Amino acid sequence: MAQIDRVLRSNLKLRHLQMLVALDQFRHLGRAAEFLSVTQPAVSKTLAEIESMFGLPLFERSTRGTEPTPAGASVVRFARSVLAGYERTRDEIAAEASGAAGRTSVGAMVVATPVLLAQAVARLKARSGHTTVLIEEGDLTRLLPKLRLGELDLFVGRLEPGYASPDLETEALYQDPMVAVVHPGHPLAGRRKVQWADIATQPCVLPPPWASLRVKLEQQFFAHSLHPPADIVESASFLSQISFLRQRGAVAFMARTVAQHFAGQGMVAVLKLPVAVELPPVGLITLRGQRMTPVTALLVGCLKEVAGLGDAQQGT
């Protein structure tokens, strides 16, 4: 234990951490060497040095590449966390020195991107034009590990209760129910009332099978004694949804605020179909105990301002 503590505190250098992360990312000595602009023997030598420090193998080598051992996976997580903190500190100091406002990294679900986050970033930019906002889209499964490692400062999206954890701070902002949408020229667009039976016969864009919303939508068809549509495309991407609405005359399901946003641009029509699906609220997740940078705190304030307006809460 004392040896490991000494290695983590004193012996590991920044170049060691960068090499470990690159090796984990590419899982190949040659590709990691190319990325780092060094030779493959140099990567092999550095890895051997690090493993000697720990007295443990960190990566298993084979003809297929490299795979982290359990100990290696732990050290890689440590390396990612340290590098994320280094980059955040570097950016803050550089921003202070140049008179710029800094940088923040946000993980966002698609439900939050086109309305809530876009309007909040616009407000942030109006107050601090030199601030940089990095936005990475994805779901909780993909984004929460990055938040925990410090690679993201903030998460914005649906607060799925199954992902609640003592190390996370959550704050609900508003409810955002689902609606069905089609292209404005679709035959169902002008209907005064649409039934689930009308949807069941249409091509549909549905969430991926592992998404909880997919199960809830399929249950709506079963509740009306119908089978879910057979002609489907599986995607959570707005670009895919809108493309298939136009090209295939498909039906898709969106959060109401997002659907109203695209409807205002003439890109979709919201169907008069009750979608009785219970969904968690849209809100914020941060890492408990981690101090927010001034830029992140300013963005959080902007997000709350937008959420408090009718723009982000229509139909709640």
Side-chain angles (χ1 to χ4, degrees):
M1 183 67 72
Q3 177 186 352
I4 294 174
D5 186 65
R6 184 173 61 254
V7 172
L8 293 177
R9 287 177 178 272
S10 306
N11 293 5
L12 282 179
K13 303 297 188 289
L14 194 61
R15 63 183 179 85
H16 294 146
L17 302 179
Q18 292 169 331
M19 193 276 294
L20 289 170
V21 170
L23 198 53
D24 179 61
Q25 179 178 346
F26 294 103
R27 304 293 173 97
H28 189 276
L29 290 169
R31 287 195 286 272
E34 183 179 356
F35 175 77
L36 296 169
S37 299
V38 298
T39 65
Q40 182 170 328
V43 170
S44 297
K45 180 180 178 181
T46 302
L47 178 57
E49 290 175 358
I50 299 171
E51 290 179 326
S52 177
M53 293 178 196
F54 282 99
L56 292 168
L58 301 182
F59 283 84
E60 294 179 354
R61 290 80 151 173
S62 71
T63 55
R64 293 174 296 179
T66 58
E67 288 287 333
T69 64
S74 296
V75 175
V76 167
R77 283 194 296 272
F78 169 78
R80 288 186 183 277
S81 179
V82 172
L83 289 175
Y86 162 79
E87 291 173 0
R88 184 183 295 109
T89 302
R90 178 200 61 196
D91 291 345
E92 288 179 14
I93 294 173
E96 187 71 26
S98 66
R103 175 189 181 93
T104 187
S105 302
V106 184
M109 292 176 68
V110 290
V111 66
T113 307
V115 181
L116 173 64
L117 188 54
Q119 293 182 15
V121 170
R123 285 170 174 260
L124 176 68
K125 285 289 191 177
R127 299 170 189 175
S128 181
H130 294 290
T131 295
T132 299
V133 181
L134 170 66
I135 299 172
E136 184 168 346
E137 284 193 347
D139 58 16
L140 281 162
T141 304
R142 181 167 175 269
L143 297 176
L144 283 188
K146 290 178 174 287
L147 181 68
R148 286 187 165 106
L149 288 171
E151 294 176 1
L152 295 174
D153 300 306
L154 174 69
F155 168 86
V156 187
R158 291 205 185 271
L159 305 180
E160 295 283 354
Y163 289 87
S165 175
D167 67 328
L168 301 176
E169 294 268 11
T170 63
E171 183 173 358
L173 296 180
Y174 58 89
Q175 297 290 337
D176 203 354
M178 299 300 295
V179 296
V181 298
V182 293
H183 186 263
H186 194 283
L188 294 178
R191 292 267 190 98
R192 297 182 62 181
K193 187 175 183 181
V194 177
Q195 306 287 344
W196 281 93
D198 300 320
I199 306 297
T201 61
Q202 301 290 321
C204 283
V205 184
L206 295 177
W210 59 85
S212 60
L213 178 59
R214 171 66 173 274
V215 176
K216 293 175 181 179
L217 288 173
E218 290 182 341
Q219 287 172 343
Q220 289 294 300
F221 290 100
F222 293 132
H224 292 83
S225 302
L226 299 165
H227 289 289
D231 184 353
I232 63 170
V233 172
E234 298 173 337
S235 177
S237 160
F238 287 132
L239 178 59
S240 296
Q241 288 178 320
I242 292 173
S243 296
F244 287 113
L245 295 190
R246 177 181 293 274
Q247 295 175 10
R248 301 207 64 243
V251 179
F253 295 88
M254 295 181 180
R256 177 149 50 191
T257 58
V258 176
Q260 291 173 339
H261 169 75
F262 286 126
Q265 298 180 3
M267 300 172 71
V268 306
V270 179
L271 297 182
K272 295 179 172 62
L273 173 77
V275 182
V277 172
E278 292 188 10
L279 293 170
V282 175
L284 312 175
I285 301 179
T286 54
L287 198 60
R288 190 182 299 276
Q290 179 169 300
R291 176 179 162 271
M292 282 189 193
T293 64
V295 175
T296 303
L298 182 58
L299 178 59
V300 167
C302 293
L303 286 162
K304 291 179 179 179
E305 287 178 13
V306 173
L309 299 175
D311 293 342
Q313 300 198 84
Q314 293 179 18
T316 60

